[in-house]
Structures are given as C-alpha cells and as structure tokens.
Amino acid sequence: MKLFREHYNIKLIHAEESDLFLGALAGVSDPEVKRKTIGRLFVEVFDAKASSVGGAEFLAQGTLYPDVIESKSATGGPSVTIKSHHNVGGLPEDMTLKLLEPLRDLFKDEVRALGRELGLPPAFVGRHPFPGPGLAIRVPGEITKERLDTLRQADAIYLDEIRKAGLYDQIWQAFAVLLPVKTVGVMGDHRTYESVCALRAVTSTDGMTADSYPFSHDFLGRVATRIINEVRGVNRVVYDVTSKPPGTIEWE
C-alpha cells in the first residue's frame, strides 16, 4: 500500500478480508485445497470491489511463465501439476472479469529487466517474490491467526538481519516457515515445548532452479537467537539447504 501510494497517483482500494479467508481455511491442511480456496476467494472479493467501482472490465495479474509451467502444461501436454498457483490453477472458471496477463510468457529475470527499462522504482524491481496464496503456504498444516502472527514476527526479524548484513539484493527469495512441529527446549530453568521455525533463502535466475544461499554460521546463529528470544512460541530454528529440484522454493 505504501509503495503504490508513494509512487503512483491512483485510487487504491484496500480490502481487509482476513476473517473471510481464515474462516474458509479453518481445518484445511492440504496445500492444493489451500491454494484453490484462496484463488476462489481472491476473485470473489476482487469481483465485488470491482463492481462497487463500476466500469471495471479486466483483472490484471502479474502471472509469470514459471507459474504457468508449475500449474499445468504450457503446451497442453501431459505434464504433471507441481502446485496450483492461485493465479493459474486456482482461479474459478465463472469469472465476470476478463483476465489480462501481460507478463505470462516471461521469467522473473526478464520481468526485472523490463521494469528497469520502464524506469520503475528499485523497491519494485528488486523486491523478493511473494506467493499469491500469501503466508498460508508458509504455515504447513492448519492455519490460525495466532500461527500467522508468529510467522510474521519471525519473518520480519529474518529479513531485518538480511538487510542489515547487506545481503538482500544477493538473494532471490528469503522467508521463514512455521512448522507444524513442536520440540522440547529450555529457557532459563524452565522446560519449553514450542514450535520450530525454518528459514529458507535461495539464489536463482528464473525461478525454475534454485540453490540455497550459503549464509555463515555466525549469521544464522544471530538470526536464530533473535527469533527465539523475541518471538513467543518458537524455541528452535533450522535452515533449509534443499536445492530446486528436488524441492520447490516455497514449502507448499
């Protein structure tokens, strides 16, 4: 909201619908069901807001080629769906708005080159990718408001340390994941039984393949200490070193 309002003179409407999404996702843990539920609600909310404005004909999306490839075969062949991106496999068929996707055939590095050519602000061009389904796919298992709040706190600390170390622009994407796992720990003289937070950071060119970023142990130790000390409900932090493939960048 801040980025768009500071750089563009447009009428920006913010729809606060977290209760709607959390209600529909209550008890849901399957990643594909999460993605398709979010995709459906996203379009329903967008349709409603567009109708209130009047005269809106198009839903413009920043769909990229990797989204298409992972969601379904780009050529109509028998390739396997890796995961339904909310903007491809997650959209309902009975949309009232026409879909407009000008970047659909481009990879992320090509989109960034286009952004620089168009003179977009560096904060837009260099921003790390963020998943369409939001934090729902960074909380494996059932989603609750409390778990999302915990994740936001851990993620903010992680990105803060990355920026302080001057590493943000060297990394393709970095984020925290709150696992549906609890472990025993100790704080002072007391036993704890709390959640595990996983950290993920990768380097990539087009998002189709990726390698884990080689943080120093000192950096990871600093982040882990801050998260455990500052985020209530987390007593263990781990770092994901899986490449893509075999893993995807996001956990779900």
Side-chain angles (χ1 to χ4, degrees), residues 106-167:
L106 300 179
F107 288 100
K108 187 70 174 181
D109 56 324
E110 296 172 319
V111 172
R112 285 195 167 123
L114 178 61
R116 286 189 290 268
E117 187 71 20
L118 292 171
L120 297 183
F124 276 72
V125 177
R127 184 175 182 267
H128 287 186
F130 187 78
L135 299 181
I137 58 170
R138 293 179 181 175
V139 180
E142 189 173 352
I143 303 163
T144 64
K145 182 182 183 301
E146 292 71 27
R147 289 181 64 75
L148 290 172
D149 287 343
T150 299
L151 175 61
R152 287 189 188 97
Q153 294 175 48
D155 195 68
I157 291 170
Y158 184 31
L159 291 178
D160 179 55
E161 289 294 334
I162 286 175
R163 288 190 173 96
K164 284 180 178 177
L167 299 175

Side-chain angles (χ1 to χ4, degrees), residues 75-238:
T75 59
S79 64
V80 174
T81 297
I82 305 301
K83 54 188 178 184
S84 295
H85 290 262
H86 88 291
N87 51 339
V88 184
L91 293 179
E93 296 181 1
D94 57 344
M95 288 172 52
T96 58
L97 296 170
K98 299 173 186 175
L99 196 58
L100 186 65
E101 299 175 314
L103 309 176
R104 186 182 176 92
D105 295 327
L106 300 179
F107 288 100
K108 187 70 174 181
D109 56 324
E110 296 172 319
V111 172
R112 285 195 167 123
L114 178 61
R116 286 189 290 268
E117 187 71 20
L118 292 171
L120 297 183
F124 276 72
V125 177
R127 184 175 182 267
H128 287 186
F130 187 78
L135 299 181
I137 58 170
R138 293 179 181 175
V139 180
E142 189 173 352
I143 303 163
T144 64
K145 182 182 183 301
E146 292 71 27
R147 289 181 64 75
L148 290 172
D149 287 343
T150 299
L151 175 61
R152 287 189 188 97
Q153 294 175 48
D155 195 68
I157 291 170
Y158 184 31
L159 291 178
D160 179 55
E161 289 294 334
I162 286 175
R163 288 190 173 96
K164 284 180 178 177
L167 299 175
Y168 188 86
D169 292 334
Q170 298 178 33
I171 296 170
W172 167 272
Q173 193 170 355
F175 55 91
V177 180
L178 190 65
L179 304 185
V181 175
K182 288 191 174 183
T183 66
V184 174
V186 58
M187 291 290 282
D189 296 328
H190 300 282
R191 174 188 186 272
T192 62
Y193 189 57
E194 296 175 327
S195 296
V196 179
C197 176
L199 304 179
R200 179 83 157 138
V202 297
T203 57
S204 181
T205 300
D206 54 19
M208 295 305 298
T209 61
D211 293 308
S212 64
Y213 186 81
F215 287 122
S216 69
H217 282 286
D218 286 344
F219 175 86
L220 291 173
R222 188 162 63 249
V223 174
T225 298
R226 276 196 64 189
I227 289 175
I228 292 169
N229 287 340
E230 298 176 31
V231 181
R232 186 175 179 181
V234 175
N235 71 353
R236 193 177 300 267
V237 175
V238 298

Side-chain angles (χ1 to χ4, degrees), residues 13 46-60 96-98:
I13 299 172
F46 200 97
D47 274 344
K49 295 298 178 183
S51 298
S52 68
V53 172
E57 297 181 33
F58 298 97
L59 166 58
T96 58
L97 296 170
K98 299 173 186 175

